[in-house]
Structure formats: structure tokens, C-alpha cells
């Protein structure tokens, strides 16, 4: 098993060393798994449980003061599952796996996604706030009223782009998973690229990819599908990642990052933000 993980593309982190250790642990955990889906789920769960990343615990807060999580999972045989806009779900990646394995759908949202996750043993009702996120939220003059009033308040505040993700291969199959707490001070109910197939995550027989960055732009550029298409055209993982980010920047002018594994088991990563930490591990 080979696994590559990322901790989000965005600003250079204040404490990169402890973040890198969590990423190393996540990749090592995934590399010990027996299937590619187990690998990406277990790796992402490590990152969702760390308050150092914007996924699960410590996720971004939306304009109504709620932390909502999103995730998606896909395998190279085109099976996919995603869940989004879920309050109180730390392990959104596990909820996405439920959609993949237990339903005929590819995306379930909101409170119904929470109920579905709970039905299949995923813990819900989790307090996703951290001390730092609460302090940050309390520093704002928070809005009340209708969505239009929320929009007026958040136009100059909405931002941030961190996400976590993992890609795995066992030499034959591929899986990709991406999970996020969204973007800070987004309109309540906003969903970005992460649970959208071909945007936040994608897998095919040629390889797989997970993206991070400016979610609206990633969705419009279908970044992970773009990266995997380059694998399908014969590029290796690193060249495919580089080309996808170059095209993304030309199309959108925004910042993003992508991790990729190819059919030779080679890993690649590229970003045009200030930073994006990754880790790669192979099983015994």
C-alpha cells in the first residue's frame, strides 16, 4: 500500500513541525491498511481528529455559528460517495464511505446525511469547536437575520482554503478521499468543491487525486478530474500535478493544491499557494 496525504493549501502554517508529524502519522496509518478504501479513510480520520487542520475537529465556522463538515471518497472502478453540510460529524470521510457502500447515491446532505451516518455507526453530535476557533468566532460582531443579511456581513470576511485528503494504491486499485470543514465565515449551508466528484476528489484506473484550495474555483475547474486526465494521457504523477495546477491558475487566478498517485505507484504534488504540507508512506 502506498499513501500520500495533504493538510491543505493555504498560508504558511505557524507551527509546521507538529502539523507535519500528524501528516506523517496519517500516511503511516493508511499504509498499514489492507484495502485502498480503508487506507484513505483511516488516513483522513487521523487528520479529521487533529485541531491543526480544517476538517472534523477545528473545522471552519459558517455565518450562523455552526461547524459543518463535507467529504467524498472514490475508487478507480467509479464507485463514489459523498456527504456534506453535516453539523457535529467529526469523521465526514466515514459518512462519505457509508454513502459509497450502503446507498445507490453519490451525495447525501445536511441533517439527513447525519442521520444516515449515525444509522451505520458513525459518531454524530460531536463538539467540533476548539479553543482557538471559539476565540476567533467570538471576536466577530456576528450577524442575525436572513441569508441576504448574512451575505452582506460576510462578503469581506469569507475566506480560507484548508482541506485534508489522501490518495492510496495497492499496485492495482486506487482510492481518493477529501474532507473539510469548509471556508471560514461562508454563508450557512455553503458547500464547496470537496464533496463534488472530479473537483475535490477523483479516481480512475490511471490513478487518483485529491485537491485543496479555493473551493468555488476548484469546482468550476474540476481540478482532480483534470489531474487524472493528464495521467490518462500518459503523464506521470508529478507532471500531471504540475500541469493541473498550471492550468488551474491560468483559468481562475486562484490558489489550490493537488496530490496524485499514478499507475506506477509514483506520487506527485503541486500547489500555487504559500504552502501545502504532504506526507508519503508505503506499507511493508
Amino acid at each position: 500500500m502506498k499513501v500520500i496525504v495533504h493538510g491543505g493549501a493555504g498560508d504558511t502554517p505557524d507551527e509546521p513541525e507538529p502539523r507535519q508529524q500528524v501528516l506523517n502519522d496519517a500516511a503511516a496509518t493508511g499504509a498499514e491498511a489492507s484495502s485502498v478504501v480503508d487506507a484513505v479513510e483511516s488516513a483522513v480520520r487521523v487528520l479529521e481528529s487533529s485541531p491543526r487542520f480544517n476538517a472534523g475537529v477545528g473545522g471552519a465556522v459558517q455565518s450562523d455559528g455552526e461547524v459543518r463538515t463535507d467529504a467524498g471518497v472514490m475508487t478507480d472502478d467509479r464507485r463514489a460517495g459523498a456527504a456534506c453540510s453535516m453539523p457535529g460529524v467529526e469523521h465526514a470521510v466515514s459518512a462519505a464511505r457509508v454513502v459509497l457502500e450502503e446507498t445507490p447515491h453519490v451525495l447525501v446532505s445536511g441533517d439527513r446525511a447525519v442521520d444516515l451516518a449515525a444509522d451505520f455507526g458513525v459518531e454524530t453530535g460531536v463538539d467540533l469547536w476548539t479553543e482557538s476557533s471559539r476565540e476567533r468566532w467570538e471576536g466577530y460582531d456576528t450577524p442575525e437575520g436572513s441569508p441576504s443579511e448574512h451575505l452582506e456581513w460576510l462578503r469581506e470576511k469569507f475566506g480560507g482554503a484548508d482541506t485534508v485528503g489522501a490518495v492510496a494504491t495497492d499496485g492495482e486499485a486506487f482510492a481518493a478521499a477529501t474532507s473539510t470543514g469548509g471556508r471560514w465565515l461562508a454563508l450557512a449551508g455553503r458547500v464547496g468543491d470537496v464533496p463534488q466528484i472530479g473537483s475535490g476528489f477523483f479516481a480512475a484506473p490511471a490513478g487518483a487525486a485529491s485537491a485543496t484550495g479555493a473551493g468555488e474555483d476548484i469546482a468550476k475547474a474540476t481540478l482532480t478530474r483534470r489531474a487524472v486526465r493528464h495521467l490518462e494521457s500518459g503523464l506521470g504523477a508529478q507532471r500531471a500535478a504540475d500541469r493541473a495546477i498550471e492550468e488551474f491558475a491560468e483559468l481562475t487566478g486562484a490558489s489550490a493544491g493537488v496530490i496524485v498517485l499514478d499507475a506506477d505507484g509514483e506520487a506527485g504534488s503541486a500547489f500555487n499557494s504559500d504552502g501545502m504540507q504532504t506526507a508519503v508512506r508505503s506499507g511493508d
Side-chain angles (χ1 to χ4, degrees), residues 167-224:
V167 181
T169 183
D170 59 5
E172 296 182 0
F174 290 93
T178 308
S179 178
T180 189
R183 300 181 76 176
W184 261 90
L185 305 183
L187 184 68
R190 174 264 186 189
V191 177
D193 66 295
V194 166
Q196 297 189 50
I197 298 168
S199 298
F201 64 106
F202 195 78
S210 169
T212 170
E216 279 72 14
D217 293 295
I218 290 172
K220 288 181 280 189
T222 56
L223 179 55
T224 54

Side-chain angles (χ1 to χ4, degrees), residues 29-172:
T29 298
E32 295 173 357
S34 58
S35 76
V36 290
V37 176
D38 286 343
V40 294
E41 181 189 20
S42 61
V44 169
R45 283 175 64 96
V46 172
L47 301 174
E48 289 172 331
S49 292
S50 171
R52 297 186 179 279
F53 301 94
N54 178 17
V57 175
V61 184
Q62 296 192 331
S63 66
D64 61 349
E66 187 74 72
V67 180
R68 295 179 175 88
T69 58
D70 311 328
V73 182
M74 188 172 184
T75 59
D76 63 284
D77 58 358
R78 311 296 188 184
R79 293 189 305 140
C84 68
S85 205
M86 298 181 293
V89 178
E90 176 181 349
H91 294 302
V93 68
S94 297
R97 183 173 183 175
V98 168
V99 177
L100 181 152
E101 294 183 337
E102 305 293 345
T103 82
H105 311 307
V106 293
L107 177 61
V108 180
S109 68
D111 291 341
R112 296 304 187 187
V114 176
D115 293 343
L116 175 67
D119 240 13
F120 285 90
V122 179
E123 185 179 6
T124 60
V126 180
D127 181 1
L128 302 180
W129 289 82
T130 64
E131 183 177 343
S132 61
S133 63
R134 193 170 297 281
E135 287 177 358
R136 184 177 178 183
W137 173 254
E138 290 175 350
Y140 293 109
D141 181 17
T142 54
E144 297 180 359
S146 68
S148 60
E149 291 173 298
H150 280 229
L151 280 169
E152 187 64 32
W153 176 81
L154 63 83
R155 288 190 192 281
E156 303 302 321
K157 301 177 178 66
F158 167 62
D162 283 350
T163 294
V164 304
V167 181
T169 183
D170 59 5
E172 296 182 0

